[in-house]
Amino acid sequence: MPKTTPSRRIKQFRFTPGTTVAGKYTIVSLLGTGWEGEVYTLREQGTGILRAAKFFFPHRNRRSRTSTFYAKKLHKLRHCPILIQYHTHETIFFEGQRVHVLVSEYVEGELLSRFIARQPGQRLSVFQGLHLLHTLAAGIEGIHYLHEYHGDLHDENIIIRRYGLSFDLKLVDMFHWGSASPENIHEDVFNLIRIFYDSIGGAKHYPEHPPEVKAICCGLKRSLILKKFRNAGHIRQYLETMQWH
Ligand SMILES: Nc1ncnc2c1ncn2[C@@H]1O[C@H](COP(=O)(O)OP(=O)(O)O)[C@@H](O)[C@H]1O
Ligand SMILES: [Mg+2]
C-alpha cells in the first residue's frame, strides 16, 4: 500500500469578516473557539438571514462522522423548542483539506454565564434559579422522552433569549458520548441540578439556602440526586408539585 502523507493539522481557521464561504454565506464574526472547531455568525447572501455555523477541525471530525451525527441528532430533535434548529451541512476546502460545516439557527441573546455574572452578588435569587431549572428541565424532558440526551449541559451552552417572569432559553452545542444510555441521561440530570446549584451561589451560599433547595440539590451528591430524579421530566414534575413551607 502506498503511504499517504498525513495532512497538516488545522488548529485554527480565523476567517476574516466579509469572507465568502460555501459560495453563499458571508462571515460576520467569530462566536467561539472550542475543541471541535470554531463557531461563527454567517449571513446567508441570498436572504440576508443570520445563521450560526460550526467549522469542524478535520482531525476532530474524521469522515464527517461528528458533524453528520450532530446534524442527524438536531434533525431528530427538531420539534424540541429548547434546541437550535439545524439548517444545512456544507463542505468547504481550507488549505487543501475538506472541512465540514454545520449551519444552524443563530440565537440572539446572552449566555447564561454572562447573565449570572452581571447579577447582584453574581448569583440568582432562589426563585429565579427555580424558574431557570424549571425551564431547562421542561425543555430537556422532550429530549429524554425521545431517548436522546444533550451531553454537554453547562452555562456556556445555554443562551437566554428573553428574561421576564420566566426564562426563554435555547441550548446550543451537544456532545456525543455514544448511544443514549441511561448513564447519559443521568449525566444530563446531574448537570441540570449543578446548573441550578451554581446559579444560586454554589458551595459558598449553599449552607444558607432553605430546606426546599437542599431537597433538590441533595448536597450535589450524584447518587442521591439520581435516586430522586431519573430524567429531566422528573425534575419538572417535582418543581410543579413541591410545597414551600
Ligand atoms: N446557534 C448559535 N447562536 C448564537 N450563538 C451561538 C450559537 N452556537 C454557538 N454560539 C456561541 O458560540 C459559542 C461556542 O459554540 P459551541 O457550539 O458551544 O461550540 P464549542 O463549545 O464546541 O466551542 C457558544 O458558547 C455561544 O456563545
Ligand atoms: Mg459549547
Side-chain angles (χ1 to χ4, degrees):
M1 284 267 284
K3 267 196 176 166
T4 48
T5 358
S7 328
R8 203 177 61 79
R9 272 196 175 184
I10 298 175
K11 295 202 186 77
Q12 55 176 35
F13 298 109
R14 293 296 141 131
F15 293 113
T16 337
T19 309
T20 293
V21 288
K24 54 182 166 205
Y25 301 103
T26 308
I27 299 278
V28 176
S29 61
L30 179 69
L31 280 169
T33 295
W35 189 78
E36 291 175 322
E38 290 175 7
V39 181
Y40 288 84
T41 319
L42 310 180
R43 189 175 298 283
E44 193 175 57
Q45 290 172 350
T47 61
I49 295 172
L50 286 179
R51 302 279 191 220
K54 190 174 223 170
F55 292 74
F56 286 82
F57 299 132
H59 61 284
R60 301 282 184 224
N61 186 31
R62 300 255 184 243
R63 278 175 275 122
S64 76
R65 279 182 60 178
T66 312
S67 53
T68 308
F69 175 85
Y70 289 146
K72 286 185 175 167
K73 187 153 157 175
L74 282 175
H75 178 69
K76 175 178 173 188
L77 299 173
R78 65 193 178 282
H79 300 303
C80 298
I82 199 163
L83 278 180
I84 49 163
Q85 295 291 308
Y86 161 72
H87 285 280
T88 57
H89 189 265
E90 307 283 347
T91 306
I92 62 162
F93 283 88
F94 183 86
E95 294 178 352
Q97 294 185 50
R98 206 180 278 274
V99 169
H100 298 282
V101 189
L102 188 78
V103 183
S104 58
E105 170 190 7
Y106 170 66
V107 183
E108 244 177 297
E110 185 176 21
L111 274 183
L112 177 62
S113 55
R114 257 177 252 147
F115 175 80
I116 293 175
R118 68 179 175 82
Q119 301 305 309
Q122 288 82 56
R123 62 192 170 111
L124 306 182
S125 72
V126 165
F127 267 93
Q128 282 175 310
L130 286 171
H131 269 294
L132 173 72
L133 179 61
H134 182 263
T135 308
L136 284 170
I140 293 159
E141 176 175 7
I143 300 176
H144 290 175
Y145 181 77
L146 292 170
H147 305 293
E148 280 295 349
Y149 63 97
H150 183 277
D152 198 18
L153 290 171
H154 57 76
D155 60 4
E156 303 259 303
N157 281 340
I158 300 167
I159 297 183
I160 302 181
R161 286 209 302 195
R162 192 185 59 80
Y163 168 65
L165 188 57
S166 58
F167 289 86
D168 177 358
L169 305 174
K170 284 277 179 187
L171 300 177
V172 296
D173 213 6
M174 286 198 281
F175 204 81
H176 179 45
W177 303 99
S179 62
S181 63
E183 289 73 31
N184 286 326
I185 288 179
H186 295 165
E187 188 64 22
D188 278 357
V189 168
F190 179 72
N191 286 331
L192 281 175
I193 301 297
R194 192 184 11 216
I195 290 168
F196 171 59
Y197 174 93
D198 288 338
S199 75
I200 56 172
K204 188 174 162 207
H205 293 278
Y206 192 67
E208 74 212 38
H209 287 314
E212 288 80 2
V213 165
K214 292 180 177 153
I216 296 167
C217 294
C218 308
L220 217 55
K221 291 198 175 64
R222 186 181 294 258
S223 59
L224 296 181
I225 291 171
L226 294 177
K227 219 181 251 174
K228 215 160 193 169
F229 313 114
R230 308 299 290 175
N231 55 48
H234 290 164
I235 300 180
R236 184 205 37 90
Q237 276 171 11
Y238 181 93
L239 294 177
E240 287 175 6
T241 51
M242 69 184 277
Q243 187 152 350
W244 207 267
H245 292 287

